[in-house]
Amino acid sequence: MEGKRSSSQRSDLLRKIREFTRSILDDLSIGKSPVVLIDRFRNYCTDNTGNCCCSSDLSKGKEILTLQRECHARRLDVLLRVLLIVQQLLQENRHGSKRDIYYMHPSVFSDQSVVDRAINDICILLQCSRHNLNVVSVGKGLVMGWLRFLEAGKKFDCINGPNTAYPVPVHVEEVKDIVSVAQYILVVEKESVFQRLANDKFCNKNRCIVITVSTYFVQPSVKINFLTMFFCQGRGYPDIPTRRFLRLLVEKLHLHVYCLVDCDPYGFDILTTYRFGSMQMAYDAKFLRVPEIEWLGAFPSDSEKYGLPEPCLLPLTAEDPELLSDKRKTEAILHRCYLQQELLHWRLELELMLQRGVKFEIEALSVHSLSFLSENYIPSKIQVAEGV
Amino acid sequence: MADLCRSSTFFSDQNLCNADIIGSSEARARIEVAVLNFLKILNSPSPAISDLPLISRRWSNSRVNRGLLTEVSCIFLSHSFCTRSLMRPNAAKAFVRVWKVVEMCFQILVQEKRVTQRELFYKLLCSSPQYFTCQLQVNRTIQDVVALLRCSRYSLGIMASSRGAVTGRLLLQAFISETVDCSACGSSGHAISGDMNLLERMVMKTDARYIIVVEKHAIFQRLAEDRVFNQIPSILITAKGYPDIATRFLLYRMSRAFPDLPILALVDWNPAGLAILCTFKFGSIGMGLEAYRYACNVKWLGLRGDDLQLIPEESLIPLKPRDLQIAKSLKSSEILEENYRNELEVMVQSGRRAEIEALYFRGYNFLGKYIAKKIVQANYV
């Protein structure tokens, strides 16, 4: 889909929008109540027999929207209004964010989630990706290493500074002329790990491409007074442009992809997001997931193997007032169908994590030596993975 | 150290306490001096365990410096000390924590390496588990060490990061690298380096007439993509939320290098947006001693109270509890000028806030037109 010329896609979509609207009008004109069918998609379920068809990209049933039900009527109303906005974006070849769209009819769109669902529905109906509708989000990805590409005519010469972070382009469909002498791609969950690798000049000795998402932010502490600010780190769930970019690199360069996440349920969930896709974007999983990605680390078994000191092993939370506790989250992940039949190695490690009741972060590996990650851990894991 | 400070009141800005950006050898020297002083007193005829004099980061030590010949006011920290003392039973651990962090930083500096705050946490957790239990303690202790040694965290070997980005009519040249044209950096803009040394030596050239500080990443991206900086010759800068020191430093450098360029802020109409504007404008005591210095004469372009007529009632959304906390903090700050104070009051009374995106009600082109009109009318405060 990335290769097609954008203008033909726009005209295709505009045509589909006209056809869809026309079909509704035709129904209304003959006194028939329109019915809109929206395919349902999912990446995983809790089926453990191996008979579910989650791994195929087929839809798993349809949602039937009719005007007979008030909630459906409202949903269709929102859908049509968003569709009108999308049509204008496409006609004028402009871009807008989901938030921008919300504010165009705030009285009808009672909440952002209502708009988000309409956009997903439209993507499913028109059988396209969100960026095809000219709906964009901010880019959070960072890349460094042995890579060169063009984006909308601008040169990104990462090879010039292989230890410098470059932003991953937001309009991935504009990325061309990808050239690389890398031997593999390394995806790291957190910006701090990326920083560590950049600081150690990892890409000087290792010919690879490193990708992450920015996770740092400044948080004011209001307890004392707003003037106290701390530099914090959030979770490394990848954004859509980063996932598309990674997929594009894999398609063009045919390199192995390795993923380095924290040894905790969220790290693992992030790994599965890269590999299988996220539930919200399940309809587009085919173009967002990277099934080739391999779990490089950190494994629960690494804590023994690399002699991680005890204090670094933090307990898995059993209760959490706001979110799912670590234990509940791990159990939920273990129920996912894709861990039942395949990826037994992943399953075993996850079960070990639950059994031991501890988790640890990648940074803990630097305790004995700051260069341990760059000089020992990652290279030796890669060697094993590449079968060298 | 305290004696030295008191004795040299030669310059009028002697009251200002700085966190210097120094090299690794000087940082190590300062650590060695601190240790030697401690040992000297311990070894003296009347031995004592001296307290650690840290520049107090409490409200009570903050002062407002109202610009006389300039329009820049800023918050600064004066020479009031708080102490970390081994002798006070509840504070003994805090005293030890400072020395532990000093020790760790010294080791890292000797190795000519750098460490992230999280890595530092794990090292301290393992070496001294009875003193360090969480990241917040480490962060606070780092701020203590900065206040003790009067140098930036980066000088102590802690890695620097920045979330900032800049785009528009600006040419940047870092030391020996090639010149970067920020207008050709795409919709993400040029990422601002976390390295203050690098930023200090950056050579900047511009033909812009304005500098626009943008609160949110999404708005920055939109304006960069629409190349608003060509329609209104300007430089756009963002920190994607509350600003980090590097972004503020770059803005500060720009304000010094291009003193004729008005600096205009585009923030959401809510207490957090105003707090962000104020941090750029007056500085912040937070993040240790280093953060207050880089105050700039930032003016509030929008969104302001009188812009609310441009958007429908439904676009205003309720204030969050955190907004109210921030409002309370801002109100209690004596540095907040009257018209800002009035706007804040309106926000709190109405219980509502408005995002910049609400302007999209008027169409896609509207944001650019709104900014242009306000600038041309000099409608900023």
Side-chain angles (χ1 to χ4, degrees):
Chain A
M1 229 188 220
E2 304 287 17
K4 277 197 199 164
R5 278 181 310 129
S6 54
S7 59
S8 70
Q9 276 200 308
R10 258 191 301 133
S11 54
D12 281 338
L13 284 173
L14 286 167
R15 181 180 45 82
K16 283 186 188 175
I17 292 172
R18 280 197 301 274
E19 282 167 5
F20 173 74
T21 325
R22 195 188 185 88
S23 73
I24 294 184
L25 275 176
D26 283 346
D27 280 347
L28 288 170
S29 64
I30 58 172
K32 182 176 163 226
S33 183
V35 171
V36 174
L37 300 171
I38 299 181
D39 286 318
R40 284 206 190 97
F41 293 92
R42 59 166 195 262
N43 297 323
Y44 60 82
C45 61
T46 50
D47 185 292
N48 61 357
T49 61
N51 292 330
C52 71
C53 48
C54 291
S55 55
S56 82
D57 294 314
L58 303 168
S59 82
K60 283 87 182 162
K62 293 184 195 289
E63 255 190 296
I64 303 168
L65 301 183
T66 69
L67 288 175
Q68 319 286 13
R69 294 181 61 186
E70 197 192 327
C71 58
H72 284 181
R74 262 206 293 266
R75 194 166 149 185
L76 278 173
D77 180 27
V78 169
L79 193 152
L80 288 168
R81 283 181 196 267
V82 174
L83 197 58
L84 179 62
I85 293 169
V86 165
Q87 184 183 48
Q88 286 169 337
L89 286 174
L90 290 170
Q91 280 169 338
E92 295 173 37
N93 201 17
R94 296 180 142 270
H95 295 98
S97 73
K98 294 189 297 179
R99 196 66 177 154
D100 299 343
I101 293 175
Y102 165 77
Y103 278 113
M104 291 182 187
H105 290 299
S107 48
V108 176
F109 306 147
S110 52
D111 194 63
Q112 183 64 48
S113 58
V114 153
V115 172
D116 295 353
R117 183 164 64 174
I119 292 171
N120 278 11
D121 288 346
I122 293 170
C123 288
I124 293 171
L125 283 169
L126 304 183
Q127 295 177 311
C128 67
S129 300
R130 190 186 291 171
H131 68 272
N132 297 130
L133 303 179
N134 279 11
V135 177
V136 296
S137 53
V138 292
K140 297 203 303 178
L142 298 169
V143 62
M144 70 176 169
W146 295 87
L147 178 68
R148 200 167 73 209
F149 58 92
L150 286 177
E151 187 237 344
K154 175 174 157 56
K155 256 198 224 170
F156 281 77
D157 226 324
C158 306
I159 303 178
N160 256 350
N163 301 298
T164 311
Y166 288 80
V168 167
V170 173
H171 300 291
V172 179
E173 63 278 8
E174 310 268 343
V175 174
K176 296 183 187 12
D177 297 353
I178 299 173
V179 171
S180 176
V181 291
Q183 290 162 344
Y184 60 89
I185 301 171
L186 178 64
V187 176
V188 301
E189 175 190 343
K190 297 185 298 193
E191 192 175 353
S192 53
V193 180
F194 188 91
Q195 246 190 337
R196 161 54 53 217
L197 296 179
N199 196 250
D200 289 350
K201 305 213 190 304
F202 182 77
C203 292
N204 282 6
K205 285 206 200 119
N206 301 273
R207 270 201 283 131
C208 64
I209 298 165
V210 186
I211 290 179
T212 192
V213 288
S214 54
T215 44
Y216 282 133
F217 63 98
V218 176
Q219 172 101 343
S221 164
V222 187
K223 254 193 201 167
I224 309 160
N225 54 62
F226 88 95
L227 299 172
T228 307
M229 310 237 190
F230 294 113
F231 223 84
C232 305
Q233 195 162 212
R235 300 220 183 272
Y237 281 95
D239 57 315
I240 292 171
T242 306
R243 288 159 66 186
R244 289 173 62 205
F245 185 73
L246 178 63
R247 198 183 147 80
L248 182 66
L249 290 183
V250 171
E251 277 172 16
K252 297 288 181 194
L253 303 173
H254 308 291
L255 294 171
H256 285 155
V257 192
Y258 301 108
C259 191
L260 189 60
V261 292
D262 284 345
C263 180
D264 63 28
Y266 288 94
F268 192 85
D269 199 22
I270 286 164
L271 169 70
T272 61
T273 305
Y274 278 109
R275 173 130 178 176
F276 298 104
S278 60
M279 270 305 213
Q280 299 103 305
M281 299 297 292
Y283 66 87
D284 213 18
K286 196 161 72 168
F287 300 101
L288 294 172
R289 64 173 176 234
V290 181
E292 300 88 339
I293 202 166
E294 293 173 46
W295 188 14
L296 191 73
F299 303 136
S301 53
D302 283 342
S303 61
E304 264 172 14
K305 192 168 165 197
Y306 294 94
L308 217 57
E310 255 262 29
C312 296
L313 300 172
L314 309 172
L316 287 178
T317 59
E319 273 159 28
D320 194 306
E322 283 174 44
L323 310 158
L324 218 52
S325 69
D326 288 334
K327 287 193 179 157
R328 295 264 304 278
K329 191 157 177 77
T330 313
E331 281 158 9
I333 296 174
L334 279 166
H335 278 124
R336 292 183 192 169
C337 56
Y338 49 60
L339 285 182
Q340 310 298 330
Q341 303 298 326
E342 37 165 335
L343 295 174
L344 290 176
H345 163 54
W346 291 22
R347 189 188 172 75
L348 286 171
E349 289 282 356
L350 208 56
E351 280 170 349
L352 185 63
M353 190 195 299
L354 198 58
Q355 190 187 49
R356 286 200 184 154
V358 290
K359 59 184 178 182
F360 64 90
E361 293 179 60
I362 300 280
E363 287 93 328
L365 292 168
S366 301
V367 159
H368 293 307
S369 157
L370 290 173
S371 49
F372 177 72
L373 195 67
S374 316
E375 287 176 14
N376 296 25
Y377 186 83
I378 296 176
S380 62
K381 287 246 173 190
I382 299 267
Q383 271 186 355
V384 167
E386 305 254 284
V388 167
Chain B
M1 245 184 282
D3 284 355
L4 178 66
C5 291
R6 275 195 282 275
S7 65
S8 23
T9 49
F10 204 69
F11 305 105
S12 59
D13 63 347
Q14 196 60 69
N15 282 331
L16 299 179
C17 295
N18 297 335
D20 306 316
I21 301 166
I22 55 180
S24 143
S25 53
E26 197 188 327
R28 276 181 283 141
R30 288 195 189 188
I31 292 173
E32 283 164 345
V33 164
V35 171
L36 285 170
N37 276 339
F38 181 80
L39 289 174
K40 190 170 117 179
I41 298 173
L42 197 60
N43 225 20
S44 64
S46 49
I49 298 176
S50 50
D51 294 343
L52 288 171
L54 311 173
I55 301 296
S56 167
R57 282 111 53 206
R58 296 209 128 82
W59 265 119
S60 48
N61 190 30
S62 69
R63 305 272 181 277
V64 171
N65 179 358
R66 298 221 180 274
L68 292 172
L69 298 176
T70 75
E71 283 184 4
V72 181
S73 300
C74 67
I75 298 172
F76 68 93
L77 290 172
S78 187
H79 273 255
S80 176
F81 290 93
C82 73
T83 55
R84 293 275 176 255
S85 171
L86 193 60
M87 308 326 267
R88 289 202 307 270
N90 295 338
K93 278 201 172 177
F95 177 88
V96 177
R97 280 200 280 267
V98 174
W99 285 114
K100 290 282 181 190
V101 170
V102 165
E103 179 188 20
M104 195 63 79
C105 289
F106 190 83
Q107 284 170 3
I108 290 159
L109 288 169
V110 163
Q111 290 173 48
E112 304 269 303
K113 282 183 177 282
R114 292 205 170 278
V115 71
T116 66
Q117 284 197 181
R118 195 65 176 157
E119 285 169 339
L120 189 61
F121 163 69
Y122 280 114
K123 284 170 97 62
L124 292 165
L125 183 67
C126 291
S127 68
S128 328
Q130 66 274 55
Y131 292 106
F132 293 98
T133 54
C134 67
Q135 183 68 54
L136 189 63
Q137 263 174 356
V138 174
N139 293 354
R140 288 215 181 110
T141 313
I142 292 170
Q143 291 184 358
D144 280 353
V145 175
V146 164
L148 174 72
L149 300 175
R150 317 255 193 115
C151 64
S152 66
R153 278 174 310 154
Y154 189 68
S155 311
L156 295 171
I158 297 170
M159 278 202 234
S161 317
S162 172
R163 274 170 63 80
V166 65
T167 188
R169 308 190 66 83
L170 179 68
L171 297 175
L172 289 173
Q173 191 191 8
F175 210 41
I176 44 172
S177 349
E178 50 183 50
T179 306
V180 171
D181 179 2
C182 294
S183 64
C185 287
S187 53
S188 337
H190 172 76
I192 296 173
S193 162
D195 182 348
M196 305 274 275
N197 283 334
L198 194 128
L199 292 176
E200 194 163 44
R201 297 190 310 242
M202 225 163 218
V203 175
M204 304 184 288
K205 292 200 189 88
T206 187
D207 64 356
R209 304 262 299 285
Y210 305 94
I211 300 172
I212 304 175
V213 178
V214 184
E215 172 190 350
K216 298 197 298 203
H217 189 181
I219 303 294
F220 178 87
Q221 196 171 284
R222 165 77 31 242
L223 295 175
E225 210 171 276
D226 293 347
R227 301 181 79 77
V228 158
F229 48 76
N230 283 337
Q231 299 155 34
I232 311 155
S234 52
I235 300 168
L236 305 177
I237 186 170
T238 185
K240 302 170 191 166
Y242 282 92
D244 56 273
I245 293 168
T247 308
R248 287 180 49 217
F249 183 47
L250 185 65
L251 181 66
Y252 173 79
R253 284 217 57 220
M254 285 200 281
S255 71
R256 291 301 223 218
F258 316 127
D260 296 330
L261 262 51
I263 305 174
L264 311 171
L266 190 60
V267 299
D268 284 348
W269 190 72
N270 67 3
L274 185 56
I276 288 170
L277 188 161
C278 287
T279 308
F280 276 110
K281 190 176 167 91
F282 303 122
S284 155
I285 303 178
M287 271 183 166
L289 207 57
E290 45 201 326
Y292 79 93
R293 284 178 88 181
Y294 310 115
C296 304
N297 186 13
V298 181
K299 305 258 197 234
W300 192 356
L301 183 72
L303 281 173
R304 298 206 314 273
D306 44 5
D307 294 325
L308 297 182
Q309 50 169 314
L310 299 168
I311 59 180
E313 177 75 44
E314 302 80 46
S315 300
L316 294 166
I317 44 187
L319 283 177
K320 295 190 262 200
R322 194 171 171 74
D323 286 320
L324 294 169
Q325 283 178 312
I326 292 171
K328 197 164 145 206
S329 254
L330 277 171
K331 272 196 269 199
S332 61
S333 164
E334 64 173 270
I335 202 171
L336 205 62
E337 50 207 67
E338 185 156 351
N339 48 5
Y340 285 22
R341 210 176 274 281
N342 292 340
E343 284 265 6
L344 188 63
E345 198 54 48
V346 174
M347 282 178 204
V348 172
Q349 293 296 340
S350 72
R352 295 186 119 45
R353 59 192 171 102
E355 298 182 322
I356 301 265
E357 286 94 331
L359 292 172
Y360 279 99
F361 183 77
R362 307 221 146 207
Y364 319 99
N365 295 327
F366 191 70
L367 182 60
K369 286 190 209 157
Y370 162 85
I371 294 171
K373 187 170 172 195
K374 281 213 139 190
I375 288 178
V376 160
Q377 291 175 341
N379 186 351
Y380 35 84
V381 295

